[in-house]
Amino acid sequence: MARSALLNVMTQAAMKAGRALTRDFGEVQNLQVSMKGPADFVSNADRRAEEIVFQELSRVRPDWGFLMEERGEIEGRDPQHRWIVDPLDGTTNFLHGIPMFSVSIALERDGQLVAGVIFNPAMDELYTAEKGGGAFLNDRRIRVAARKTLPEGLFGTGIPFLGRGDHAGFLYELRQIMSETAGIRRMGAASLDLAYVAAGRLDGFWEQALQPWDVAAGIVLLREAGGFVTGLSGEKFDHMRGDVACGNEFMHKALVDQLKTAAQKRKRATSTSAETGSA
Ligand code: 2AM
Ligand code: CA
């Protein structure tokens, strides 16, 4: 399969950064056992990977802007095009020596996501998609799974953690979805969760409060693989807002219904406790 020039540029940048991350990942595993621990080393690995992506993409498309996890917004002379880049998605996994992390690069044209590349160097898996051109894993076409009912469905999610997210709300979602489905996975890299739904490994995925660079590339993959995506209560998806519920047509609808039920149960419980004055 011949990749487009655009996907070639994105792939080269992702693979070059991925190779640097692989070298650093080896070192992280050594540092795990040292007194100092690998935290500072990992922030540097993250910045190095971002620098590689920035240099590679600026070299071939000097006028295009960027939205990057570390550097933030960099305006380009061309107002139409912007790269959205997460140089290391799954930072916590990387820090802990777990090989579930990626380089994620998307292209936005006039505010629309039009191309996405995600590279997991530890598993040597490269996901590519361009609007209208289909989604691929290592150059083989991928599609969302064909399973249609919740009891067959395996779902990915992100669990809020110390200092982040709506912990109480998530427990309602978890209670609801775990009792209706074949299982839930928490992999720790939103880009790869989306890629796994696109590849038909997971049947769906939901998570709140993600950043544009966590999801932008994965959304292109998902749509090109035939998936559906909205916010958590079925509202139009907006990659700048960061709430994601996705799956194939059937699983997406079923997931959103479950999330709505969870939100209603929470609301009822909150108003009951407010009425009775309990916490
Ligand atoms: P990161 O590894 O690049 O930080 C895991 O649930 C997902 O949430 C990962 O994609 C992770 O991206 C992202 N994440 C971690 N901390 C976050 C934060 N403070 N805000 C938004 N997303 C975050
Ligand atoms: Ca990220």
Side-chain angles (χ1 to χ4, degrees), residues 69 86 89 213-214:
E69 177 159 26
D86 193 342
D89 188 39
W213 45 80
D214 298 321

Side-chain angles (χ1 to χ4, degrees), residues 7 24 28 55 87-88 121-122 161 165 222 250 262:
L7 284 179
D24 288 339
V28 165
Q55 293 298 339
L88 174 54
F161 46 88
L222 176 84
F250 306 96

